[in-house]
Amino acid sequence: MRAVVLEMPPHWLEERRRLGHDKRDEVWDGVLHMVPQPGTTHQGLEVELIYALKALVEARGYRLFVETSLFGAAGEKNYRVPDLSVVAPSDFSERGLEQHAEIVVELLSPNDESRDKLPFYAMCGVGEVWLIEPKTRTIEVLSLDDAYGSTRTESAVLGIRFSTVDGPKLRLDWQGGSAEV
């Protein structure tokens, strides 16, 4: 269900912070987007991806972050929270990811705004955006090189080729290894 509140009372925001309900909130050009908790299929895939990707990401000198804010040039007034991010050490700070990521991963949910985030990710110079449908395990790899205009079956950043196999599972193949999630 969508809801529009023209002005959030400060006590509502404080209560959301106090209860931890604001962890996935995003601010789009000064507008608060309150994102609900994902379901178990979504969360299960997120955990499997973390296990599959962590060593590969670190071997390439990057860091893997989970649900960490990616801040645009306007800082606290413009940020998104991708499910996973692959980031160079120079691109993160104590508060989060600073205006750039190599890869962001969005696990799709019904009625989510993942595709609406693409212009923001392009503005931040995100090299690749992975859109993954948790139930079918299908993936779209979008590259900034072609302005996110076409879908690929591999990640140039991490050297991974993707396919969907029986299960359904998402199969990741890279030089010297593979995983199914």
Side-chain angles (χ1 to χ4, degrees):
M1 158 185 24
R2 286 205 181 273
V4 176
V5 177
L6 295 181
E7 193 65 38
M8 283 293 286
H11 71 277
W12 283 8
L13 293 174
E14 180 52 39
E15 183 171 349
R16 285 183 61 71
R17 268 188 223 98
R18 185 178 57 78
L19 296 173
H21 294 170
D22 65 340
K23 299 292 183 220
R24 290 181 177 82
D25 288 355
E26 300 176 338
V27 177
W28 296 32
D29 298 315
V31 177
L32 177 66
H33 290 237
M34 295 185 290
V35 182
Q37 292 277 46
T40 56
T41 301
H42 179 121
Q43 290 181 345
L45 176 56
E46 186 172 56
V47 169
E48 290 179 52
L49 281 167
I50 293 165
Y51 282 114
L53 293 172
K54 186 176 184 310
L56 185 63
V57 165
E58 290 176 354
R60 285 171 169 69
Y62 299 124
R63 292 281 307 273
L64 181 64
F65 288 95
V66 180
E67 299 169 2
T68 303
S69 298
L70 170 59
F71 292 93
E76 303 291 330
K77 294 193 181 283
N78 201 18
Y79 63 91
R80 310 297 183 272
V81 183
D83 293 297
L84 298 173
S85 303
V86 175
V87 183
S90 59
D91 291 329
F92 64 88
S93 68
E94 188 63 31
R95 77 173 178 165
L97 313 178
E98 301 294 344
Q99 301 181 45
H100 186 260
E102 303 301 321
I103 298 170
V104 297
V105 179
E106 292 283 355
L107 303 179
L108 304 176
S109 298
N111 303 312
D112 80 2
E113 299 176 300
S114 294
R115 292 181 194 287
D116 297 334
K117 297 178 186 182
L118 293 176
F120 175 82
Y121 291 149
M123 181 187 69
C124 290
V126 174
E128 291 179 356
V129 177
W130 301 358
L131 301 174
I132 304 174
E133 205 302 312
K135 289 182 183 170
T136 64
R137 299 299 209 256
T138 55
I139 184 171
E140 296 175 61
V141 178
L142 306 172
S143 174
L144 184 58
D145 290 342
D146 63 9
Y148 307 139
S150 61
T151 300
R152 300 178 182 202
T153 58
E154 72 277 337
S155 166
V157 173
L158 294 179
I160 300 172
R161 180 167 296 282
F162 300 99
S163 58
T164 303
V165 297
D166 286 342
K169 293 277 190 181
L170 179 61
R171 182 171 173 84
L172 296 72
D173 290 293
W174 61 88
Q175 185 175 2
S178 67
E180 289 184 6
V181 298

